[in-house]
Amino acid sequence: MNQPGFFDILSFGPDGWAKALLAGAWMTVLIAISGYAIGIVIGGFGSWAKVSGGRSTRIAADTYTTVLRGIPDLLVIYLLYFGGSAAVTAMGRLFGAEGFVGFPGFLAGSLAVGITSGAQQTEVFRGAFKAVHRGEIEAAIACGMSRWLRFRRIVAPLTLRHALPGLGNVWQVVLKESALVSITGVAELLRQAQVGAGSTGLPFDFYLIAGLLYLAISTVSGVLMRQAERYFNRGVRRV
């Protein structure tokens, strides 16, 4: 049996892997978006805890960011995947189930990416909030705005404006971290490239194609992030 050529791999024919690789790329995007969204929620609460929370919440947020920024992301995935599987298996036994029950790889990967990126987004949001000029908040108070109205009309838009560049960098990191989820067996882009490389004996070709697809996703993401920055910076005077 002849090995498929580089362009045969990119085809949708019988020897082609285009469909599988594109499906893997889509799964990569889904994992990245899910993890990023989870990270935004965690980052929002974490930054609030550091800026406006009490002593105990600040300590908890500081501990969270210190630990998650200090251990490898791959280790977090292992802990969630195997720890989650052990917990689900134990719960299954309580209800009479037998055998091993695996924790869903997509869920474990998304949670792991979200928890690790949440530590970074906590610092991004905290720094963005600190960049909001105090005079703008004081002006809103002087106008009689309620606390919720100040947050919705002044604090949140300005914080987001300052946070967008940092959030764009975090997204690029999340996109690359999604490749680590392949260890759970999820058929994302790197996993599909590994399967294709093992099946055809063409590792360089498959990993090169995977790299190009990652680069394409990253490039499109960068364009969208820059457009978002321009949108939220409308009317802002640049110096």
Side-chain angles (χ1 to χ4, degrees), residues 8 25-26 33-34 41 45-46 49 63 69 81 97 99 104 153 157 200 210:
D8 292 328
W26 176 241
I33 291 175
S34 300
V41 175
F45 280 109
T63 302
R69 294 167 71 190
Y81 181 63
R153 297 289 298 274
T200 62

Side-chain angles (χ1 to χ4, degrees), residues 33-53:
I33 291 175
S34 300
Y36 191 72
I38 294 170
I40 285 178
V41 175
I42 295 175
F45 280 109
S47 61
W48 168 82
K50 287 196 171 192
V51 173
S52 304

Side-chain angles (χ1 to χ4, degrees), residues 100-114:
F100 177 79
V101 181
F103 196 68
F106 179 89
L107 181 58
S110 298
L111 287 174
V113 171

